[in-house]
Amino acid sequence: MLRRKILIAFIILLMMSTIKAEASSTPEEVSACLECHSKKGIIKKFENGEAIDVFIDIGKLKSSVHSSFTCSDCHTGFSMEDHPSGKFRSKKEYKLKSALICRKCHPEKQLMSKDIHANLIVREREGRAPVCTDCHGSHAVSPISGGRVFSNEREYCMSCHAHNIEMLFKSGERIVLKIDSGVLKESVHSRLSCSDCHFGFSRSQHPKRNFRNEREFRIANSEVCRRCHFDKYTKALESIHYTMLSQGNLNAPVCIDCHGSHSIGRAGLEKVWSSKRCRRCHENIYNVYAKSIHGNALINESNQDVPVCTDCHRAHDIEDPRTFDYKEKVPEICGNCHSNKQIMSKYGLSTDVINNYLQDFHGITLSFYRKEKNMAVRPDKGIAVCTDCHGIHDITKTSGPSSNVLKKNLVKSCMKCHPDATENFPDAWLSHYEPTLKKAPLVFLVKLFYRIFIPFMMIGLILQILLHIWRYAVNR
């Protein structure tokens, strides 16, 4: 019993002496290492030609959570007497092996229990994820909780998301969660904090979310937009896109498909950018539009006066363009630009085209059906509107080399309702312009004749009636 007590006392004394020796050696060892590593310009090269700077900032080291450690606590195998030269094939291999040092105090089981690290550790072994030092630093490690770690929330999030972090889905798909800070600063949401959109995530919480595939992930994320843009969200619920989505078509576009996620721009300021968003799903239609008079002016001349997809189809409450309800709105849609004197004056175009259309047979008939509440009386074939004659996305000039092509298309369009139409049938079309001596001179002269002749006849008729009344009164 006495021997046992003596043995225990001896062990305690030995441990105390060891701790005291280590404590006394700490500043000496650190000072010895910093004699070289506090100087800039010391480079370590790897077999593939890569290199890293092994300079250590003394100020950052002292403020680190590891400031009480000695150098050899992490850099095992190194001491004041021994400084081996480790060989590594690449910088990547060096970083992976250095990260294993962290496991001494932070065991893998402990890290795997935290959602934020669970997937990273698996991918770290495969070389497809950042290692410990990429996010936490090496010699300037800051505390994760307590104290002011980062200047703002975004800086905290970017400490990981500035790297090629991947997200794995059950389908086997992967996406990179790396965010370009430069692009984020140019976004219209640049003043928002990360948690404003990614609610549930913070410096202390980073829940693991499971999705079957990337598409399901994008659809779920688009629901975030309604928190701030509820007016746009409710309009989108009435669109053809949401109808398709609710019917099970997961490829139907959602908010982030059109606006992006972190690189959100101002859609109203750049029309080319807006039209190219639609191109992602409507490639064939975009190619046709690009060759039209509108698309050519937009893409090749950067003309901001011409209409793009959202001008005709709207941005959020997009209707099905195949319905009669949409077709009857076409003259109004075209009139948004073609009745604008400021825009039309630049190109020498008339602003009376819509009024002239509404005054002819087709326009009057369309107006009648628009007022008719009884859906049963609406025509099966519909009424000719702007797009029936001018085209939808392939709109061309009404004069010049393309006019012959337009005339041939017009005959085909007219024959849909007028099967007996001949090649000269569209010649009666006056391009919605008022007749002048230059445009349709014969029609202009006939109209001028009637404008003079009809008032003359009316005045003569009224005068004759008055004379008859006067004569009847005198003879009586």
Side-chain angles (χ1 to χ4, degrees):
M1 190 68 176
L2 180 61
R3 290 181 180 179
R4 186 175 180 182
K5 289 182 179 180
I6 294 172
L7 180 62
I8 293 172
F10 176 76
I11 292 172
I12 292 173
L13 288 171
L14 181 64
M15 289 176 65
M16 289 178 68
S17 62
T18 304
I19 293 171
K20 186 176 181 181
E22 289 182 355
S24 62
S25 67
T26 298
E28 185 181 354
E29 179 183 306
V30 174
S31 298
C33 294
L34 288 177
E35 283 183 10
C36 293
H37 287 281
S38 63
K39 299 175 183 179
K40 293 184 178 180
I42 302 177
I43 303 296
K44 180 174 179 60
K45 294 184 178 180
F46 302 106
E47 293 178 4
N48 66 347
E50 293 179 316
I52 60 169
D53 189 345
V54 294
F55 165 75
I56 298 172
D57 189 315
I58 298 176
K60 291 183 178 179
L61 180 63
K62 288 181 178 179
S63 62
S64 168
V65 292
H66 294 164
S67 59
S68 61
F69 289 9
T70 62
C71 301
S72 58
D73 285 336
C74 295
H75 301 281
T76 54
F78 291 81
S79 65
M80 295 174 63
E81 294 79 22
D82 190 16
H83 195 292
S85 177
K87 293 184 179 181
F88 299 94
R89 289 192 299 269
S90 64
K91 183 179 178 180
K92 185 177 181 180
E93 181 186 352
Y94 171 74
K95 289 171 67 177
L96 285 170
K97 289 189 176 181
S98 296
L100 295 177
I101 296 172
C102 305
R103 303 286 198 272
K104 291 174 60 181
C105 299
H106 305 282
E108 186 172 311
K109 289 183 179 180
Q110 181 186 28
L111 296 175
M112 290 290 279
S113 65
K114 299 179 181 180
D115 292 333
I116 191 171
H117 292 121
N119 290 331
L120 293 180
I121 291 175
V122 176
R123 292 171 205 168
E124 178 187 291
R125 299 188 188 115
E126 301 171 4
R128 294 186 292 104
V131 295
C132 307
T133 53
D134 286 332
C135 298
H136 298 279
S138 52
H139 298 94
V141 180
S142 299
I144 294 301
S145 60
R148 189 181 179 208
V149 186
F150 299 96
S151 60
N152 54 56
E153 182 183 76
R154 181 178 299 173
E155 185 181 336
Y156 171 75
C157 296
M158 289 300 292
S159 64
C160 289
H161 287 279
H163 305 282
N164 290 322
I165 303 172
E166 286 186 342
M167 184 173 186
L168 177 65
F169 301 103
K170 294 178 180 179
S171 63
E173 296 175 282
R174 304 175 187 271
I175 61 170
V176 178
L177 301 179
K178 181 179 180 180
I179 299 169
D180 188 327
S181 58
V183 171
L184 189 60
K185 288 179 181 178
E186 297 297 323
S187 169
V188 294
H189 291 164
S190 59
R191 295 184 179 181
L192 295 179
S193 299
C194 302
S195 58
D196 287 333
C197 295
H198 301 281
F199 50 90
F201 293 78
S202 65
R203 299 188 188 190
S204 59
Q205 293 183 335
H206 197 291
K208 181 181 178 182
R209 303 175 69 190
N210 296 312
F211 296 95
R212 287 177 295 182
N213 50 52
E214 181 185 356
R215 189 59 192 161
E216 187 180 274
F217 169 73
R218 294 180 68 85
I219 292 173
N221 278 349
S222 68
E223 293 294 312
V224 174
C225 305
R226 66 177 176 179
R227 299 181 69 198
C228 298
H229 304 283
F230 191 73
D231 56 333
K232 303 294 189 297
Y233 179 81
T234 52
K235 285 184 177 181
L237 295 179
E238 301 174 0
S239 71
I240 181 65
H241 290 157
Y242 187 82
T243 300
M244 295 169 64
L245 184 66
S246 62
Q247 291 174 350
N249 186 349
L250 299 183
N251 293 321
V254 292
C255 306
I256 59 177
D257 291 322
C258 300
H259 295 281
S261 51
H262 297 97
S263 57
I264 300 175
R266 299 183 184 277
L269 297 181
E270 185 51 63
K271 287 193 169 186
V272 174
W273 175 84
S274 176
S275 61
K276 287 185 177 180
R277 292 287 186 181
C278 302
R279 182 184 187 179
R280 295 177 178 180
C281 297
H282 304 283
E283 177 75 23
N284 294 333
I285 292 175
Y286 178 86
N287 292 336
V288 172
Y289 167 79
K291 297 176 182 178
S292 72
I293 188 172
H294 292 152
N296 181 64
L298 174 69
I299 298 169
N300 299 324
E301 302 173 16
S302 298
N303 190 326
Q304 299 297 304
D305 290 334
V306 297
V308 293
C309 312
T310 53
D311 290 316
C312 300
H313 297 282
R314 295 199 294 265
H316 299 97
D317 51 339
I318 302 171
E319 295 184 57
D320 187 343
R322 298 165 295 184
T323 63
F324 184 84
D325 288 335
Y326 181 84
K327 186 175 183 179
E328 68 179 13
K329 297 175 184 177
V330 168
E332 181 182 346
I333 294 171
C334 297
N336 290 333
C337 293
H338 286 276
S339 295
N340 189 318
K341 292 183 179 181
Q342 185 178 359
I343 296 177
M344 294 299 107
S345 61
K346 295 181 183 180
Y347 311 101
L349 299 175
S350 172
T351 56
D352 295 327
V353 291
I354 300 300
N355 290 332
N356 290 337
Y357 165 79
L358 294 175
Q359 291 171 9
D360 73 9
F361 172 79
H362 293 141
I364 292 173
T365 308
L366 179 65
S367 299
F368 169 75
Y369 281 113
R370 290 182 67 175
K371 294 177 182 178
E372 181 58 55
K373 295 182 180 180
N374 185 1
M375 301 293 290
V377 301
R378 289 188 171 181
D380 295 332
K381 296 181 180 180
I383 305 299
V385 294
C386 313
T387 52
D388 290 310
C389 300
H390 294 277
I392 303 174
H393 301 102
D394 56 340
I395 299 173
T396 59
K397 288 186 177 181
T398 57
S399 59
S402 60
S403 60
N404 293 329
V405 178
L406 179 63
K407 184 177 178 180
K408 290 180 181 178
N409 292 335
L410 270 177
V411 175
K412 295 178 182 178
S413 299
C414 295
M415 290 181 69
K416 292 178 182 178
C417 297
H418 308 280
D420 297 329
T422 62
E423 291 185 3
N424 297 325
F425 190 85
D427 290 339
W429 179 49
L430 298 177
S431 303
H432 307 300
Y433 286 86
E434 286 291 335
T436 63
L437 287 174
K438 293 183 179 180
K439 291 180 179 289
L442 182 61
V443 177
F444 172 76
L445 293 173
V446 171
K447 288 186 71 175
L448 180 62
F449 171 77
Y450 276 107
R451 284 179 180 177
I452 298 173
F453 180 72
I454 291 175
F456 177 78
M457 289 294 295
M458 293 298 296
I459 293 171
L461 180 60
I462 293 171
L463 182 59
Q464 183 180 11
I465 293 172
L466 292 174
L467 289 173
H468 272 288
I469 294 173
W470 177 78
R471 183 177 180 182
Y472 176 77
V474 171
N475 291 337
R476 187 176 180 186

